[in-house]
């Protein structure tokens, strides 16, 4: 698995900018729209679970589960961006992920932040 399969995030010119900070340098917040989130729950693949169980006995990275979690986080972020865009935002501030176990059958990933309209400082 190459390094590109472990990452996520946005390309160089996103329609909706997503940042973990509370502001964007060189920009002002013109309107706060409110909280937005993207949620997804993924069940575990039986093969990954068996491989993870075996790997946990000898140690090392669980690459199948890592890849699944990256894909899941990216999907949650895409849903967050869709919601922000639908509500008229061009940025999401204070972006975060929350990851929890979902009833021992999968992983719940929630991407959340504050949808805003930003504009360059004059």
């Amino acid at each position: 698995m190459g390094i590109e399969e472990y990452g996520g995030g946005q390309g160089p010119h996103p329609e909706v900018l997503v940042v973990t900070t509370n502001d964007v340098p060189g920009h002002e917040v013109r309107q706060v729209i409110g909280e937005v989130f993207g949620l997804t729950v993924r069940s575990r693949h039986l093969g990954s679970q068996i491989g993870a169980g075996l790997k946990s006995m000898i140690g090392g990275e669980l690459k199948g589960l890592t890849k699944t979690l990256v894909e899941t986080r990216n999907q949650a972020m895409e849903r967050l961006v869709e919601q922000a865009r639908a509500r008229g935002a061009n940025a999401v501030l204070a972006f975060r992920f929350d990851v929890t176990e979902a009833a021992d059958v999968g992983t719940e990933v929630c991407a959340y932040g504050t949808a805003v309209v930003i504009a360059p400082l004059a």
Side-chain angles (χ1 to χ4, degrees):
M1 188 167 15
I3 191 67
E4 66 280 350
E5 295 182 73
Y6 288 106
Q10 300 182 293
H13 302 289
E15 185 179 332
V16 175
L17 179 65
V18 178
V19 297
T20 59
T21 56
N22 293 326
D23 55 18
V24 177
H27 291 74
E28 66 177 335
V29 174
R30 293 267 174 97
Q31 179 185 0
V32 174
I33 295 171
E35 179 188 11
V36 289
F37 66 91
L39 181 68
T40 186
V41 178
R42 290 274 178 106
S43 64
R44 293 191 187 96
H45 182 274
L46 181 59
S48 293
Q49 280 188 290
I50 292 170
L54 294 172
K55 192 73 161 188
S56 68
M57 288 189 266
I58 58 171
E61 181 181 7
L62 307 173
K63 290 184 180 182
L65 292 177
T66 298
K67 186 175 180 182
T68 298
L69 185 54
V70 167
E71 291 168 355
T72 304
R73 288 171 66 121
N74 288 343
Q75 183 178 47
M77 185 172 177
E78 288 169 9
R79 290 179 178 176
L80 166 114
V81 168
E82 288 172 16
Q83 188 181 69
R85 183 183 308 113
R87 294 181 62 193
N90 65 356
V92 176
L93 304 180
F95 170 72
R96 302 287 186 269
F97 280 114
D98 186 35
V99 180
T100 57
E101 291 296 314
D104 274 347
V105 295
T107 302
E108 172 191 334
V109 176
C110 182
Y112 62 96
T114 303
V116 298
V117 174
I118 60 172
L121 291 171

